[in-house]
Amino acid sequence: MAERATSIAAGALVAEWRTAALTTAPEEEAIVAFLRERAAAGEPTLAVKILSAVGTTFATTFFLAFLGVSRLIDFTSPGNLVGWGIVAIAGGIVASATLRRMAVGVGRELTAQATFTAMAIGKVLIVAGVVTWGHGAIQWWTVTAALAAVTVATYPVSGSSLDRLLSPYAVIASALFDILETRVAGAATGATLTVFFVGLTAIAGGLLLPMRAPPVLRPIGLAALAGMGTIVAVIASGHDFGIWAGGAAIDPRGIEAVLTAALAGLIVWAAGGPAAARREGVVAAVVGAIALGFIGAPGIVYALGLLVLGHAHHDRPLRVVGILALPAFVVLWYYGRDMTFLAKSAALVGSGLVLLAARGFMAWRGLDRREAA
Amino acid sequence: MAEQAAGPTTAGFDDLAVDRRALDALLARGLISTAARDHALGLIEPPRDWGLWAGRLIAVVGAALVLAGIVYFFAFNWAAIPPLAKLGGIALGIAAAIATAAVLGLDHAAAGYATSAATVLVGVFLAVFGQIYQSGADAWQLFAGWAGLTVVWALVAASSATGAVWSAVVAGARVLWGPALPRGPGAATGSEAMLVAVASAAFLAIREILVGRGVGWPAARWTRLYLATPMLVAAAWAAIEAIVVSSFSAEGRHVPTVVGLAIVVGGLAVYRWVLRDGRVLAGAVVALTMIVDIAFYNLLARAGRAFEIQFLFLCGLVTLALFAAAVAWLRAATRAMEREDG
């Protein structure tokens, strides 16, 4: 069976670069040193990250149960919880510092696993301490602030990219909960949500699009992208769901406009930047994106954005998420309560016809048979 | 590929695998240019071919959205449509799909989608028929009838998409059949998931045998993951469910545990040493580690020590050690497979 390659041998790659005059001898030395260092550190695959995350979850549960049953920690005392949480995180930071000096093997993995678990226990205890502050009167924004604080404190030393993704996403989800489920935004819930969406879009764009953005910050960009998807799912589920604390319907048009502009900008970026914006294929794609935005099906625009970004970055997981997002949105929309099936039908058929028209245009202009961007 | 020229590379370095993330890291460190990164990506994956890719994407998505819109339209008007028109419309759809496949020929790429659509529409027809005439049949009977009526298409179409749809229908019949069985002392916890795991393993084995004999249509890599994923999830589910229930009741449920464990271990062995697939191997390792960890806790629970302080602490330590060992083994196995595959 033919398998698609996902990597290339380092020696062959360096030779290719040399032949194409893309690197110089001094650069090659630095490249070799970097790749050796990276190989020694053992960059984990996605499966390893998932396995590690499952182990962290299980171990955290057992140790928290131990702390609860043993009464070593007073779970009714916020100060006690926060104090022990800080101790656990400090322990995790110390353990992570030793990781770099350890040789690859079970001992190193055990230390890494213990580090993740200590960090997770610390985060849970600190957030639990904040939640129990004031004899159970939950301070919503304080929870978000606590999540943000532990994320900022642990992000630089966290050895798990999954943790680096999930922690910022927890902050975003908590902030979203604050906006929708508390009266903090008053009557301006919709406007606040739109501003929040603009912020997430800026973070995602700023960290995921520039090729030279530090890879260590990429999980924050992905968390922002996931936050955008969560908001799109919220507005696709129903604008007047009736469960938002503000009690008023959320006007989705601002968010849809930002999303459409983001897709158009993404297309231009993928085509090579502003200089490519005048090319016929790029103009047609931007016009199509704007037409899709006017139809009012944000899930489709979001999913197409994921697919374009994933294709541009050669990022298969992102492409898979984009493909799965399309049917997920269609199913989610089915249960949305504030539009009739007829209106939804018109939006779906309209979106489909826009895409098929674009397909016809591409065929007519011969854009589907050559490198168009 | 250019011949290896003299340079700073040495033994041990040349075989290191460089993937997209490594290239991104090199670029971010300023060690290579954007042009060098793009050049390398072109070697790792085919050129982006934006026009071709976008053309295919928007054709498929556009057609799917129009079809979804039509379904929504019928949902809006469903109550007002006469029964004969409902059934006639669906039958017309089946006929159109089959005619499309017949006209294009089964070798045509679109024929697979047409036979898949026909397979789905047969199920829709049966559901609508049951809704109108209140046949009283159980849901599993609908799925079983659906699978029986379309088995010939699934075989003749020789399409991975149609095969995937048909195997999903069979899985639906199996899942719905379990709860319909008379419940009694012999009804084992975890046995429904076990049925799904066994059947998925059987389909996966058939797929691997066919591909091994050079049959092309099921060879797409997604078909392996499509079958292996429910197999591993259901096997782990069956084993864990039986173990957890056994922890808190006097009756042991050993068959789903043994069968689930056997499927996971078998998958691990096959995809490590015979077929060498890192993704399925990783899934099997995750499933096996979870089963073993929960089984260890079960041993303590059966001894009545589930909530004792020292044993909770011990479980935490064992979990750390177990998952650390699994991660180390998976990393080593992945590196070994990369070496074996050259």
Side-chain angles (χ1 to χ4, degrees), chain A residues 1 3 7-8 10-11 16-18 28 36 42 47 58 66 109 211-212 215 311 313-314 330 334 345 359 367 371, chain B residues 1-2 4-6 8 10 14 16 18 20 27-28 36 48-49 51-52 55 69 72 219 221 282 293 309 327 331:
Chain A
M1 186 173 63
E3 300 284 356
S7 63
I8 184 171
E16 277 283 340
W17 278 335
R18 193 182 307 141
E28 283 176 23
R36 279 187 185 284
F58 278 27
F66 161 74
E109 299 303 344
M211 292 295 183
R212 292 190 184 279
H311 191 67
H313 269 320
H314 296 255
V330 172
Y334 186 88
S345 171
R359 179 72 184 86
L367 296 171
E371 186 72 11
Chain B
M1 189 85 40
Q4 180 73 29
T10 54
D14 290 354
L16 288 180
V18 180
R20 183 186 57 80
L27 181 67
R48 278 178 274 190
D49 286 333
L52 195 63
Y72 277 43
R221 195 177 184 192
D293 197 37
I309 300 169
V327 167
R331 279 179 183 251

Side-chain angles (χ1 to χ4, degrees), chain A residues 85-120:
Chain A
I86 291 170
V87 168
I89 287 179
I93 292 172
V94 171
S96 73
T98 65
L99 269 177
R100 294 186 185 89
R101 296 192 296 271
M102 296 181 76
V104 174
V106 177
R108 188 176 192 280
E109 299 303 344
L110 188 60
T111 308
Q113 204 65 42
T115 303
F116 301 152
T117 303
M119 296 271 199

Side-chain angles (χ1 to χ4, degrees), chain B residues 33-115:
Chain B
S33 63
T34 305
R37 174 189 179 272
D38 291 344
H39 184 78
L41 282 176
L43 297 171
I44 293 173
E45 291 192 30
R48 278 178 274 190
D49 286 333
W50 277 95
L52 195 63
W53 176 81
R56 287 175 180 166
L57 173 73
I58 62 179
V60 171
V61 174
L65 291 177
V66 170
L67 287 173
I70 291 170
V71 171
Y72 277 43
F73 180 79
F74 274 97
F76 178 70
N77 294 290
W78 193 244
I81 300 172
L84 199 61
K86 289 176 183 171
L87 293 173
I90 298 166
L92 206 62
I94 296 171
I98 294 298
T100 302
V103 169
L104 292 175
L106 291 175
D107 292 337
H108 195 282
Y113 297 108
T115 50

Side-chain angles (χ1 to χ4, degrees), chain A residues 146-209:
Chain A
L147 281 168
V150 292
T151 299
V152 169
T154 58
Y155 195 91
V157 292
S158 174
S160 163
S161 59
L162 209 56
D163 177 53
R164 286 177 171 169
L165 169 67
L166 293 178
S167 287
Y169 180 73
V171 177
I172 291 166
S174 177
L176 183 59
F177 190 83
D178 288 335
I179 293 169
L180 294 174
E181 289 298 342
T182 69
R183 296 187 180 279
V184 68
T189 300
T192 309
L193 191 64
T194 305
V195 171
F196 187 55
F197 191 81
V198 170
L200 292 178
T201 307
I203 292 169
L207 295 178
L208 297 178
L209 299 191

Side-chain angles (χ1 to χ4, degrees), chain A residues 62-100:
Chain A
F62 282 128
F63 283 124
L64 283 175
F66 161 74
L67 290 173
V69 173
S70 66
R71 298 176 188 266
L72 277 174
I73 294 177
D74 180 1
F75 276 80
T76 62
S77 163
N80 207 255
L81 287 166
V82 172
W84 278 104
I86 291 170
V87 168
I89 287 179
I93 292 172
V94 171
S96 73
T98 65
L99 269 177
R100 294 186 185 89

